[in-house]
Amino acid sequence: MNDRNKGERSDSTPRGHLPIPPGMDLMEYLELKEDAKSYIQTVGYLYVDLAFHEENPEQKEKYENESKRHSKLLKSMKWMEVEVAKPIVAEYPELIRRLREKVKQSES
């Protein structure tokens, strides 16, 4: 910091990125974001697998739509928001478990 900026606090968050929410430390926030992103990607891939193995056209379309929905969510970057990421991290592990079971059954 030079004399001209003395006493000013620089913003440690790069422009375009969400600031760390109050009450969360940096590592907790980063882990939450990473987990949410990973879960969304996994669910999207599982829906693709289910659609690939599905013979019922209506069910296949549902799986494809869910895959597209998760792809859009991933691209929207909304998963980076704490209020979106927390429910994903709480609910998606169970969803992933159920989808993996369906994929395993459909491959049999």
Side-chain angles (χ1 to χ4, degrees):
M1 196 181 302
N2 60 28
D3 290 335
R4 198 173 60 183
N5 295 333
K6 203 174 210 178
E8 291 181 22
R9 184 174 173 261
S10 65
D11 186 8
S12 62
T13 58
R15 299 201 191 282
H17 288 80
L18 300 173
I20 301 168
M24 270 189 149
D25 67 17
L26 177 61
M27 290 308 297
E28 181 182 14
Y29 178 62
L30 293 175
E31 286 176 14
L32 178 68
K33 284 183 3 178
E34 188 60 35
D35 286 348
K37 179 182 179 185
S38 174
Y39 290 160
I40 293 167
Q41 287 174 327
T42 301
V43 167
Y45 294 142
L46 288 168
Y47 278 122
V48 167
D49 284 347
L50 287 169
F52 178 76
H53 294 289
E54 185 58 51
E55 293 178 14
N56 178 335
E58 290 176 8
Q59 191 64 40
K60 183 178 189 94
E61 184 178 358
K62 285 182 183 179
Y63 291 148
E64 288 170 346
N65 288 339
E66 279 299 310
S67 176
K68 290 174 187 174
R69 186 175 73 85
H70 283 85
S71 179
K72 287 178 185 177
L73 176 60
L74 199 58
K75 290 176 187 174
S76 75
M77 305 296 276
K78 288 188 183 282
W79 53 268
M80 292 179 74
E81 299 170 10
V82 172
E83 49 283 340
V84 174
K86 279 187 176 182
I88 289 171
V89 171
E91 297 166 12
Y92 274 45
E94 178 61 23
L95 175 60
I96 290 169
R97 186 190 64 72
R98 289 192 322 259
L99 292 174
R100 283 185 174 148
E101 286 176 6
K102 281 186 176 184
V103 168
K104 191 184 265 185
Q105 290 172 358
S106 68
E107 289 176 340
S108 308

